[in-house]
Amino acid sequence: MSTKKCVLAYSGGLDTSVILGWLQDQGYEVHAVYVDLGQPCEDRDAIMQKARDCGAASSRLIDVREELCRDFAFPVLAWQAKYEQIYLLGTSIARPLISKICLQVAREVGAVAYAHGATGKGNDQCRFQLAAEALDPKVEMIAPWRIKEFRDAFPGRTELIAYCDEKNIPVKASTAKPYSSDENVLHISYEAGDLEELDVNGVELVEFGMGVSPQEAPDESESVTIGFKAGVPTTLNGQEVNALEMVEQLNDIAGRNGIGRIDMVENRFVGMKSRGVYESPGMTVLYDALMYIEQLTMDRDLMHLRDRLAPEVAEMVYYGFWYTPKMDSLMSFIKEAQSQTTGEVILKLYKGNISVASRQSPNSLYDAEIATMEGGGSYNQDDAEGFLRIHGLPSRVQGTVTPREY
């Protein structure tokens, strides 16, 4: 009987190093896939070599940083989608892309199974699996942390490290950080450990990796100019850039000005509340920049409809329902809705704050002559009389039938 083949979403950390060995113990031929999302790493080549040294049938690094920004983050940006009002979904956005890449490798090598290191308590297991099953309904999902035998074998970090010692798997067996983190080019998240205590100041505990604190930022504001075409950011300080360059360069600019840190208690898809600290400097600036162009170019009723639907989109992204007909339709909607959102905005960044200095658009619906509070102009104030009589009709009838006390 031929050996079953499995693709593993591999980071080279303690958990996936153990899982790589454990899957082989279960009789799988394992193909390790490191999906490069722009996460900082000491030596990617060393991670790939480590996977091969530890018995992986193949190990490959696949760079999807541009795709992550262009095809995943920017459509969510166009929706102005924020989970529970403030979270920019940096981790959530990346997970369906990881699943897609892993399944592409699985198809290439003839693997029947797809394994990941997400726990049974978190959101990532949902995002990985819901994406994978939508793309390949027959895929066999292996989530070792949801398997009792695995948890019994590895109840804690000590047992994981001992397994690596036994199998000669090189790992950094240092004591655990006071929190865990997940990184990509869009953001860094920090959770668990000491951050589970709500009397701990999260932004003081965390050693942020993408920028300085507002207190440490320069004492002078920095201007940044961002241009959009049809809702997509395309120019930065007058230069055309691709999606990855836009995010990376804005991370640097906004990071040095203390932009984009949040601390929240959120509702996980699995039902529990959890506390997370996030930093997302570049994307935070892009959300504000797009908003200022939309204010000029987007029709009122269209904007208000988009704003009502945006929390729904954020929830779908957070839960992991990316590859669904509903999301496909919503993405088609937002592409049309943003078709006129073209223009340029100058923002000033100062110690964690973002303010608008100027904005312009060839498609601007703002007409100073109509809006002016001065006399004249093309707006006839007499028209407001009939406008209000019509809109006030239901209230006059209601007020006659059921008078309100006042």
Side-chain angles (χ1 to χ4, degrees):
M1 187 176 73
S2 61
T3 303
K4 293 184 294 183
K5 296 180 180 180
C6 175
V7 163
L8 170 64
Y10 182 73
S11 70
L14 180 60
D15 284 21
T16 54
S17 294
V18 170
I19 290 170
L20 173 57
W22 183 81
L23 287 168
Q24 293 174 78
D25 294 342
Q26 307 305 305
Y28 285 96
E29 175 185 300
V30 185
H31 297 262
V33 180
Y34 179 94
V35 182
D36 188 351
L37 303 158
Q39 58 272 50
C41 181
E42 291 178 1
D43 189 339
R44 284 166 163 75
D45 290 337
I47 286 179
M48 294 294 92
Q49 187 59 49
K50 173 183 169 181
R52 288 188 287 271
D53 291 344
C54 294
S58 70
S59 68
R60 62 194 77 193
L61 180 149
I62 301 176
D63 185 347
V64 296
R65 294 173 299 160
E66 169 72 12
E67 184 178 0
L68 173 66
C69 297
R70 182 191 64 230
D71 298 339
F72 289 78
F74 284 4
V76 175
L77 162 69
W79 270 104
Q80 291 282 354
K82 302 177 183 180
Y83 184 67
E84 296 184 342
Q85 302 183 62
I86 58 173
Y87 173 39
L88 301 189
L89 299 159
T91 294
S92 321
I93 288 168
R95 299 319 194 194
L97 178 53
I98 293 173
S99 281
K100 185 183 89 165
I101 296 301
C102 286
L103 289 184
Q104 287 174 343
V105 174
R107 184 171 56 200
E108 178 186 329
V109 302
V112 297
Y114 165 32
H116 61 76
T119 75
K121 283 188 174 183
N123 295 307
D124 284 335
Q125 59 170 340
C126 310
R127 299 161 184 158
F128 285 137
Q129 186 156 341
L130 290 169
E133 291 184 346
L135 295 174
D136 180 2
K138 296 181 180 179
V139 67
E140 176 190 345
M141 294 298 302
I142 303 176
W145 288 114
R146 297 204 304 254
I147 299 171
K148 186 176 185 300
E149 292 78 10
F150 184 87
R151 293 196 307 274
D152 288 345
F154 305 105
R157 188 174 174 83
T158 302
E159 289 79 10
L160 291 168
I161 293 171
Y163 179 87
C164 291
D165 289 342
E166 177 190 339
K167 296 277 190 176
N168 293 317
I169 300 171
V171 293
K172 295 178 180 177
S174 59
T175 56
K177 286 185 298 184
Y179 50 82
S180 65
S181 62
D182 178 74
E183 310 179 30
N184 61 41
V185 73
L186 305 176
H187 88 154
I188 305 179
S189 68
Y190 308 89
E191 62 180 7
D194 290 355
L195 288 173
E196 292 175 354
E197 304 302 323
L198 298 183
D199 58 356
V200 171
N201 186 316
V203 295
E204 290 180 1
L205 170 69
V206 165
E207 293 183 26
F208 288 96
M210 299 179 83
V212 302
S213 70
Q215 295 90 334
E216 295 169 327
D219 292 331
E220 293 183 358
S221 65
E222 179 174 356
S223 293
V224 61
T225 304
I226 302 171
F228 289 84
K229 288 184 181 177
V232 178
T234 56
T235 62
L236 180 60
N237 291 330
Q239 301 295 316
E240 285 210 13
V241 291
N242 64 31
L244 176 61
E245 291 167 342
M246 176 70 73
V247 174
E248 286 185 329
Q249 292 179 34
L250 276 177
N251 280 339
D252 291 339
I253 295 168
R256 62 176 173 252
N257 285 286
I259 305 293
R261 297 181 176 186
I262 64 168
D263 181 341
M264 70 184 293
V265 174
E266 68 201 61
N267 291 293
R268 285 184 181 171
F269 187 21
V270 294
M272 69 187 74
K273 288 185 181 288
S274 66
R275 195 264 191 95
V277 174
Y278 302 99
E279 62 174 329
S280 188
M283 292 303 298
T284 298
V285 170
L286 285 175
Y287 269 71
D288 272 32
L290 179 60
M291 174 186 70
Y292 287 118
I293 303 300
E294 289 174 349
Q295 289 173 354
L296 298 182
T297 61
M298 193 176 285
D299 169 76
R300 178 192 68 184
D301 291 343
L302 175 58
M303 180 185 286
H304 291 181
L305 175 60
R306 190 280 309 271
D307 291 348
R308 290 196 297 274
L309 290 171
E312 184 95 358
V313 172
E315 185 178 273
M316 291 175 68
V317 175
Y318 186 86
Y319 291 173
F321 292 106
W322 186 271
Y323 300 113
T324 61
K326 180 178 173 183
M327 185 65 89
D328 293 341
S329 299
L330 287 166
M331 287 305 179
S332 295
F333 169 88
I334 201 62
K335 188 173 183 180
E336 174 63 28
Q338 293 285 8
S339 62
Q340 300 304 307
T341 309
T342 295
E344 190 172 79
V345 60
I346 300 175
L347 302 176
K348 287 196 169 185
L349 314 182
Y350 178 69
K351 290 187 177 294
N353 297 290
I354 305 171
S355 61
V356 59
S358 73
R359 71 213 94 170
Q360 59 177 325
S361 169
N363 303 329
S364 177
L365 303 175
Y366 175 78
D367 188 326
E369 184 183 348
I370 292 176
T372 180
M373 298 299 287
E374 304 298 325
S378 59
Y379 182 89
N380 185 349
Q381 297 190 49
D382 292 350
D383 294 342
E385 182 69 33
F387 170 81
L388 285 167
R389 291 294 294 174
I390 293 294
H391 279 280
L393 175 61
S395 295
R396 293 198 301 277
V397 173
Q398 192 70 45
T400 301
V401 176
T402 55
R404 294 176 181 270
E405 293 185 9
Y406 64 95

